[in-house]
Amino acid sequence: MSSALDDSKTTDTSMDHELYTVQSPSEDIKDGPDHAEFIYKMSNEEFVRFVKLRVTNDSLFTGKRNSSTLAYRAILKELGLQREISASQARRKWENLKMKYKELKNPPPGVSVNPTNWPWFSLMDDAMEGRLVGSEVTLDTSTVGDDSEYRPNNTTRRRSKRAREPDRSEIELFVEEDDMMSEEMGRDRAELDRDRDEMEHERAILESDKAAIEYERMVLEREKMVLDRERAGVERELAALDRDRASLEREKAAVERDRASVEYIRAQLEKERAILDRERAKLERERAVLEQQRGTEKGEQTANLNDNTEGTDTSIPLVMEPASLERRQKFLNLFEKLIENF
């Protein structure tokens, strides 16, 4: 920044006056040697502050109607130049600076340029690259004031021209004023057209963003529907699991009851087996007694037969029949097998 200011002091006579001076309307320039009276030349300090204020307050240039005019008026008021330079002249000055910077920054193919020959290149490079953001105060357009405070004070100058040119008719002066107003209106119309184009571009961007948001909303709605269906399926599966769990609990309770019943039956069978064992032991003892009785009976029968042959009377004692004993033994065997199967 300091190098740019030093260079501007040494090369002030060779600088492009169209870029750092502001001219009044065109009819003032056609008056010959007196035209310097109608040109305001910014000092180096004013020029540097103008660039810094323009970059720092770029957010004021929203593209809305009259936002550019109000922003430049706020900048000129901060500089104290609101009576010397109009908002349209400040705008043209900034556009010329940007055009000059772009021509030096990106020259056409085959053209060789040295940007350092322009003393303001370093300043504009910092400005366009965003390195000067915040280097000046932030302005507010709400305190700009009335339009009358910002119109260049050319009344005295026009009267002096009339004094120096007494031969010019009032009609010529009115024609020149009409031409100036027509030129100003043309510039304002061009600015309005640019603002309208910017608004249309922003509207197209907003419409595109809106369409993208609507598409994303549709995608989210579909995903939500899929998630709702999946949630319903999960809930159905959970309900089925709960039913299966309840059924398993019931079956487990039934198995526990069956186990208790089997344990009870097993205990009863153990008791009956003990009883059968006692009955078997008793039966074995009775069988031994029966065998003993059978042997005794055979001896008695033999003796009785011998006695009968001798003419004596005999009597047969009452004993259990073998057929009845066999049936009782078979019954006990079958009952024992039945218990073993359990």
Side-chain angles (χ1 to χ4, degrees):
M1 183 72 66
S2 61
S3 62
L5 292 175
D6 295 339
D7 293 341
S8 65
K9 293 178 181 178
T10 57
T11 59
D12 193 1
T13 57
S14 60
M15 293 170 61
D16 187 359
H17 289 277
E18 186 179 358
L19 296 176
Y20 68 95
T21 60
V22 180
Q23 298 179 355
S24 62
S26 58
E27 67 270 17
D28 297 332
I29 301 175
K30 298 177 182 179
D31 294 333
D34 293 333
H35 76 280
E37 183 181 356
F38 304 99
I39 298 177
Y40 180 82
K41 177 181 177 181
M42 281 187 179
S43 66
N44 292 336
E45 291 78 7
E46 290 173 341
F47 181 83
V48 172
R49 286 203 65 199
F50 172 77
V51 174
K52 289 182 178 181
L53 286 169
R54 177 59 179 81
V55 175
T56 301
N57 296 277
D58 187 66
S59 59
L60 299 178
F61 298 84
T62 60
K64 296 182 180 180
R65 184 176 182 180
N66 294 330
S67 63
S68 175
T69 301
L70 294 175
Y72 277 116
R73 284 182 176 180
I75 292 173
L76 292 173
K77 186 176 181 179
E78 178 66 21
L79 293 172
L81 302 178
Q82 69 272 22
R83 304 293 295 175
E84 302 295 337
I85 303 174
S86 65
S88 60
Q89 290 171 337
R91 179 172 54 252
R92 287 196 301 273
K93 179 178 182 64
W94 178 249
E95 294 298 330
N96 291 336
L97 288 171
K98 289 198 300 182
M99 185 182 301
K100 181 71 173 180
Y101 168 77
K102 292 179 180 179
E103 290 176 355
L104 296 176
K105 183 74 173 180
N106 300 307
V111 178
S112 177
V113 295
N114 186 8
T116 58
N117 291 335
W118 186 38
W120 302 116
F121 180 82
S122 178
L123 177 65
M124 287 301 298
D125 188 61
D126 292 338
M128 301 306 293
E129 295 295 332
R131 291 188 289 270
L132 295 182
V133 176
S135 59
E136 270 289 346
V137 296
T138 303
L139 304 177
D140 186 6
T141 57
S142 61
T143 59
V144 167
D146 190 7
D147 292 345
S148 60
E149 300 179 9
Y150 297 92
R151 293 173 183 171
N153 189 9
N154 294 330
T155 305
T156 304
R157 296 170 186 173
R158 289 177 183 171
R159 289 177 180 175
S160 63
K161 286 174 60 179
R162 290 186 182 182
R164 291 193 302 270
E165 299 177 3
D167 297 336
R168 298 184 63 182
S169 63
E170 294 290 335
I171 296 177
E172 291 178 351
L173 293 175
F174 284 136
V175 168
E176 289 179 357
E177 291 178 356
D178 291 340
D179 292 340
M180 181 182 66
M181 293 178 62
S182 299
E183 183 181 355
E184 191 71 24
M185 290 176 62
R187 286 193 295 268
D188 292 340
R189 188 178 294 109
E191 180 183 357
L192 290 175
D193 292 337
R194 286 195 300 270
D195 294 341
R196 186 182 297 109
D197 293 338
E198 291 178 359
M199 292 178 62
E200 292 294 334
H201 180 66
E202 291 180 357
R203 182 179 295 134
I205 294 175
L206 290 175
E207 291 294 334
S208 177
D209 293 341
K210 182 179 178 181
I213 292 172
E214 290 295 333
Y215 176 76
E216 291 179 358
R217 182 180 300 165
M218 292 175 59
V219 172
L220 290 175
E221 290 293 335
R222 288 196 296 268
E223 292 179 354
K224 183 180 178 182
M225 292 175 60
V226 172
L227 289 175
D228 291 338
R229 288 196 297 268
E230 291 179 354
R231 184 182 294 110
V234 170
E235 290 177 354
R236 288 194 297 269
E237 292 179 358
L238 289 175
L241 288 175
D242 292 335
R243 290 193 298 270
D244 293 341
R245 185 180 294 111
S247 177
L248 287 175
E249 292 294 334
R250 290 193 298 270
E251 292 179 359
K252 183 178 179 180
V255 169
E256 292 295 333
R257 289 194 299 270
D258 293 341
R259 181 179 297 167
S261 178
V262 169
E263 292 294 336
Y264 176 76
I265 293 172
R266 182 177 296 164
Q268 295 295 324
L269 289 176
E270 291 293 335
K271 292 179 181 179
E272 292 179 359
R273 179 176 293 173
I275 294 172
L276 285 175
D277 289 339
R278 290 194 297 269
E279 291 289 336
R280 182 180 296 149
K282 183 178 179 181
L283 184 60
E284 290 296 335
R285 288 193 302 271
E286 290 179 354
R287 181 179 293 171
V289 172
L290 182 60
E291 292 293 336
Q292 185 179 3
Q293 289 179 357
R294 185 176 296 172
T296 304
E297 289 176 357
K298 286 182 180 181
E300 290 178 355
Q301 287 178 0
T302 302
N304 290 331
L305 288 174
N306 292 330
D307 293 337
N308 287 333
T309 55
E310 294 177 356
T312 61
D313 295 332
T314 60
S315 61
I316 302 172
L318 294 175
V319 295
M320 187 178 290
E321 296 182 356
S324 177
L325 291 173
E326 290 179 0
R327 284 195 301 272
R328 186 175 178 180
Q329 182 67 31
K330 288 180 180 180
F331 175 75
L332 291 174
N333 291 334
L334 289 173
F335 192 71
E336 183 178 0
K337 290 180 180 180
L338 178 62
I339 292 173
E340 290 177 354
N341 289 332
F342 276 102

